[in-house]
């Protein structure tokens, strides 16, 4: 049975100003933490697997505000006759610089198309061809056009489709605007979560038999990023604190075409539709970085349609050569869409058009858009197997917070929206099955643990005598991550960041909270989020400093410029270590059918592919 | 190459339920550059001037729909409106009109969320089709029938603009009627009849008095007023069709 709260959201009389709320309890079978695309897809799958299973879906915002909403370009699935599952597999594994779990990638490419069709049946307004079939577009690092899209608002449409479809299922009980403080772990398995109802400040214990974390990435640990304010790594930190390792955290994706200052995203589809990247001389500089030749329109897996890590790295080199343009917010290059024409821009890239005009006063049909790389995606995350389970029984994870292994050292654009569909379904079904087989824990013991979590949380956020301002700690963290753990890294630079984060974690203990109210106290939430961010940031930089090679998005300049398969063809695992720095360990990478090879794009890539096909045939 | 910083006066209507018996205005001096949004202005206040100020925000790019506020009396998204537009005057910020205030700039959205859930906001297939059979065919022309109405980001600016909703929250309101029309106009859907009951009811399209301000304030060009007007036509047709179908028109 689910006992939903009837919460008085208003009225002065109902509010208590002190932090002595009693603890409400909700009993459910499956709790899902995070109501973005992955969480909603998991909730629907769980509900479809057993209509009588009570499901509680937590979100710290209303689900349609979740960051899936900002994904622009599309979702990949093999669709055309001349494409093949092997091609999608090879693109993904090579794109990930062979750090992908190949068995998982195989499952992914096999189920991708089916899941996108499922989204279509649920109403997702995919862009169409004249004949009524779903259309596909080119995307970076993909050999054949296979990216389904809904103009340039694909994530928005997928999220709203999933949210609205979820309303069909009465067994999905939503707790919107509930902030998760911790997991309740007892008897070596997850048995619930403790949350704060943001409107009232009320603590709520959700007793459950299984939990899915679907809280998204951690891009907000970097200064310039494409992410929404909510992308603070909450779920990663929750799992991490309970001993589940964060895997491959050093791999942060820099998206090459973002807005200076704010970091807002100009989708890769700009280049999929034919856009160019130009340096200060109007020269398509990517041809100087092994991505050429420069042809009149970008060819798949070449030039502007190369993978994101390579394009962001090329920007860095152009900056070193003095070929970028100096702007108010640092150096930038130009995204040129003029030749696409206003009509097609408005049809295929309406949001991009609007953003350039509104935020930058640039009409993309008339002038190139200033762009630079910014942090976009967290390739690593909570260690999870093919069935989304973690090493902690009862705990599952899916979406950007999870490291299920399909992105390796560099994610290909349009693989993650498909990921949340394919593995959201798996997570929902697997966690539902676990919940049905797990006994309901002893309510008294669990409640006592929940009460302790409440007290611990209150002690962090009611530090009236604190002296450290949250905004200062946060901006020092962002700056340090950018300086020490950016597109190119050195041991010395990363050590400075490691030291800085240790200092910030110590100062965090003296953080100041001015707001003493209970209703909508978002200052407290910012403090709790900063706690998550600092720990996740530590996992990133400590994993990075120990990886003494260059692979995918992790590139070093201090004597480790090459990929080193002998020592580092393995996943890094960051284990929580209390107040101290994380302990870093490693695990094997599953290699089933693609042996590590040279990652080549442009003309060199085509030559290599031809050679491989010949040897396959021979 | 730093730009010269200016300072703008921002007056925020505060309401702290545990402290204030009624909303009170509080003024802040906020340094800004020309590329700073109103959202960045209120974030500055929260970070450096008064940590207790509450507001919703997330994506910063006018797609998540969180940060609707009244800016000098007009409903707008704070993230895509710029401080420079209000300089050198004072910018007055208030919570979205017509909704109860929970705290400061945070309104109670539950009426909107409940309404969203009440209109069958999903496809009920007109013809069953298994996933194995592939996608439903839908031509660009068929898609164009609902495209615009599927762009709603649920920011609720149109509710703050709607005088009818201000008079009575029973009115289904512009955004939700546009969403309802989005599904009714989708070639894949077969639940039009269920939704027409809402359209035809007193709380449906006939509650609208054709002010059209909803469409003016929409940041996504959804044009809810158009959806409402199309449904006034549909509702009228529906009425006559039922009239004839019921046999009342026979013999005349």
């Amino acid at each position: 049975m689910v006992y939903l709260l009837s919460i008085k959201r208003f009225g002065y009389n109902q509010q208590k100003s002190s932090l002595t709320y009693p603890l409400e309890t909700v009993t459910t079978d499956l709790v899902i933490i995070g109501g973005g695309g992955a969480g909603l897809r998991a909730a629907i799958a769980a509900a479809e697997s057993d209509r009588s299973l009570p499901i509680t879906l937590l979100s710290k915002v209303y689900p349609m505000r979740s960051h899936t909403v900002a994904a622009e370009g599309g979702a990949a699935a093999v669709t055309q006759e001349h494409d093949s599952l092997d091609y999608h597999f090879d693109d993904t594994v090579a794109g990930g610089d062979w750090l992908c779990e190949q068995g998982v990638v195989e499952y992914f490419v096999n189920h991708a198309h089916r899941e996108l069709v499922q989204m279509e049946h649920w109403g997702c307004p995919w862009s169409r061809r004249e004949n009524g079939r779903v259309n596909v577009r080119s995307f970076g690092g993909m050999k054949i056009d296979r990216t389904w899209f809904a103009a340039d608002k694909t994530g928005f449409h997928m999220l709203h489709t999933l949210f609205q479809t979820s309303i069909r299922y009465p067994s999905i009980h939503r707790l919107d605007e509930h902030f998760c403080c911790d997991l309740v772990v007892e008897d070596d398995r997850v048995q619930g979560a403790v949350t704060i109802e943001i409107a009232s400040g009320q603590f709520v214990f959700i007793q459950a038999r299984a939990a899915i974390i679907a809280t998204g990435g951690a891009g907000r640990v970097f200064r310039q990023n494409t992410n929404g304010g909510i992308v603070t790594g909450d779920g990663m930190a929750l799992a991490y604190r309970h001993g589940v390792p964060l895997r491959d955290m050093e791999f942060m994706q820099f998206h090459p075409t973002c807005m200076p200052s704010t970091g807002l995203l100009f989708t890769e589809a700009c280049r999929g539709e034919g856009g160019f990247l130009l340096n200060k001389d109007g020269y398509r500089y990517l041809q100087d970085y092994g991505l050429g030749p420069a042809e009149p329109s970008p060819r798949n897996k070449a030039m502007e349609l190369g993978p994101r890590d390579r394009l962001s790295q090329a920007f860095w080199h152009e900056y070193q050569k003095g070929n970028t343009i100096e702007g108010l917010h640092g150096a930038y290059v130009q995204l040129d869409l003029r030749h696409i024409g206003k009509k097609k821009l408005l049809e295929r890239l309406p949001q991009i058009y609007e953003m350039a005009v509104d935020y930058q006063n640039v009409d993309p049909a008339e002038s190139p858009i200033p762009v630079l790389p910014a942090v976009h995606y967290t390739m690593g995350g909570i260690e999870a197997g093919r069935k989304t389970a973690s090493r902690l029984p009862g705990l599952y994870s899916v979406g950007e917070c999870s490291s299920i292994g399909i992105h390796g050292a560099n994610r290909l654009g349009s693989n993650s929206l498909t990921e949340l569909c394919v593995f959201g379904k798996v997570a929902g079904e697997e966690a539902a099955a676990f919940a049905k087989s797990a006994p309901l824990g002893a309510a008294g013991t669990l409640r006592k643990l929940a009460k302790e979590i409440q007290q611990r949380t209150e002690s962090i956020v009611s530090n009236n005598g604190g002296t450290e301002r949250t905004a200062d700690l946060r901006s020092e963290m962002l700056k340090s991550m950018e300086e020490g753990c950016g597109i190119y890294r050195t041991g010395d630079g990363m050590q400075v960041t490691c030291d800085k984060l240790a200092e910030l974690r110590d100062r965090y203990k003296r953080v100041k909270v001015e707001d003493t109210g209970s209703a909508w106290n978002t200052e407290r939430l910012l403090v709790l989020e900063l706690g998550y961010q600092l720990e996740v940031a530590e996992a990133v930089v400590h994993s990075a400093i120990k990886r003494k090679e260059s692979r995918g998005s992790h590139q070093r300049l201090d004597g480790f410029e090459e990929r080193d398969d002998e020592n580092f063809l393995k996943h890094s695992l960051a284990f929580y270590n209390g107040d101290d720095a994380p302990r870093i360990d490693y695990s094997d990478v599953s290699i089933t059918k693609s042996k590590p090879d040279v990652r080549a794009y442009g003309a060199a890539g085509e030559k290599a592919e031809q050679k491989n096909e010949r040897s396959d045939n021979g | 190459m730093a730009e010269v910083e200016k300072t703008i006066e921002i007056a925020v209507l505060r309401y702290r339920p545990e402290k204030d018996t009624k909303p009170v205005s509080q003024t802040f001096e906020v340094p800004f550059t020309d590329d700073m949004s109103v959202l960045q202005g209120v974030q500055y206040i929260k970070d450096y001037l008064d940590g207790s100020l509450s507001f919703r925000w997330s994506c910063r790019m006018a797609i998540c729909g969180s940060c609707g506020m009244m800016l000098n009396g007009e409903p707008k998204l704070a993230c895509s409106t710029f401080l420079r537009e209000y300089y050198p005057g004072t910018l007055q910020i208030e919570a979205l009109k017509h909704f109860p205030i929970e705290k400061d700039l945070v309104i109670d959205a539950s009426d909107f969320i409940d309404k969203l859930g009440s209109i069958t906001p999903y496809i009920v297939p007109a013809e069953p089709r298994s996933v194995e059979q592939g996608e439903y065919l839908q031509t660009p022309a068929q898609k164009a029938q609902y495209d615009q109405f599927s762009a709603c980001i649920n920011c609720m600016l149109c509710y703050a603009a709607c005088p009818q909703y201000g008079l009575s929250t029973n009115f289904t309101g512009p955004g939700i009627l546009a969403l309802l029309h989005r599904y009714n106009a989708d070639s894949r859907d077969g639940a039009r009849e269920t939704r027409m009951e809402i359209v035809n009811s007193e709380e449906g399209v006939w509650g609208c008095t054709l002010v059209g301000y909803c469409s003016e304030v929409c940041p996504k060009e959804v044009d809810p007023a158009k959806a409402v007007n199309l449904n006034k036509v549909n509702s009228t047709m529906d009425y006559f069709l039922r009239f004839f179908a019921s046999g009342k028109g026979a013999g005349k």
Side-chain angles (χ1 to χ4, degrees), chain A residues 9-12 15-17 21 61-62 64-67 69-70 72 113-115 117-134 148 151 153 156-157 160-161 163-165 167-168 174 176-177 199-200 220 225-231 261-265 326-329 351 354-355 358-359 361 469 471-472 474-475 514-523 526, chain B residues 1-3 14-21 33 35 37 40 43 46-66 79-82 84 100-104 106-110 112-113 116-118 121-125 129-143 146-147 150-156 179 182-183 186 188 219-221:
Chain A
R9 293 181 70 119
F10 297 108
Y12 179 66
Q15 303 288 353
K16 295 182 187 171
S17 56
Y21 267 122
V61 290
Y62 280 106
M64 72 295 216
R65 315 295 186 209
S66 307
H67 196 60
V69 82
E72 295 171 356
H113 187 266
R114 184 186 197 285
E115 285 310 311
V117 170
Q118 177 64 76
M119 288 298 296
E120 194 278 333
H121 285 208
W122 284 335
C124 189
W126 299 114
S127 294
R128 304 283 178 152
R129 296 173 193 276
E130 281 307 317
N131 65 8
R133 301 293 302 271
V134 168
W148 294 37
K153 298 180 192 172
F156 160 81
H157 282 300
H160 281 250
T161 299
F163 173 62
Q164 290 164 15
T165 300
I167 291 170
R168 262 170 60 186
R174 291 201 330 265
D176 297 334
E177 299 193 322
S200 64
R220 300 287 298 187
N225 67 76
T226 66
N227 291 179
I230 55 178
V231 188
S261 164
T262 57
L264 296 180
L265 173 68
E326 229 8 77
L328 207 57
H329 304 285
Q351 181 171 235
E354 180 188 298
M355 276 166 54
D358 290 353
Y359 289 81
N361 201 18
R469 197 205 301 264
D472 293 339
R474 191 198 309 126
S475 59
E514 291 169 348
D515 192 350
T516 53
S518 297
W520 268 99
N521 187 332
T522 52
E523 193 185 10
L526 288 172
Chain B
M1 205 170 130
E3 196 184 346
R14 304 292 307 271
Y15 174 66
R16 290 145 293 196
E18 291 130 310
K19 210 154 127 185
D20 302 321
T21 47
T33 49
D35 58 359
S37 65
Q40 287 173 299
Q43 284 172 326
K46 184 162 188 75
D47 280 350
Y48 299 105
L49 305 178
D50 188 337
S52 72
L53 181 67
S54 294
F55 48 93
R56 291 185 176 104
W57 69 282
S58 180
C59 76
R60 312 171 287 137
M61 54 188 279
I63 192 76
C64 80
S66 301
C79 72
S80 60
T81 311
F82 294 85
R84 62 175 186 264
I101 300 175
E102 294 194 338
K103 187 188 172 198
D104 297 336
V106 178
I107 52 99
D108 174 15
S110 51
F112 179 87
I113 298 294
L116 194 158
S118 73
Y122 42 82
I123 298 277
V124 179
R129 188 176 177 87
S130 72
V131 171
E132 286 68 31
Q133 288 172 289
E135 77 263 41
Y136 288 92
L137 295 184
Q138 186 171 66
T139 64
Q142 286 174 317
K143 183 169 174 284
Y146 70 88
D147 229 4
S150 71
C152 173
I153 61 172
N154 300 348
C155 68
M156 301 175 281
L179 181 68
R182 172 254 176 276
Y183 282 105
D186 192 314
R188 296 166 290 188
K220 292 290 162 191
E221 295 174 34

Side-chain angles (χ1 to χ4, degrees), chain A residues 500-514:
Chain A
K500 184 71 189 177
L501 292 173
E503 174 207 314
L504 292 172
R505 281 190 69 193
D506 181 56
R507 286 165 60 193
Y508 178 77
K509 292 173 187 156
R510 296 179 293 282
V511 73
K512 167 173 74 179
V513 183
E514 291 169 348

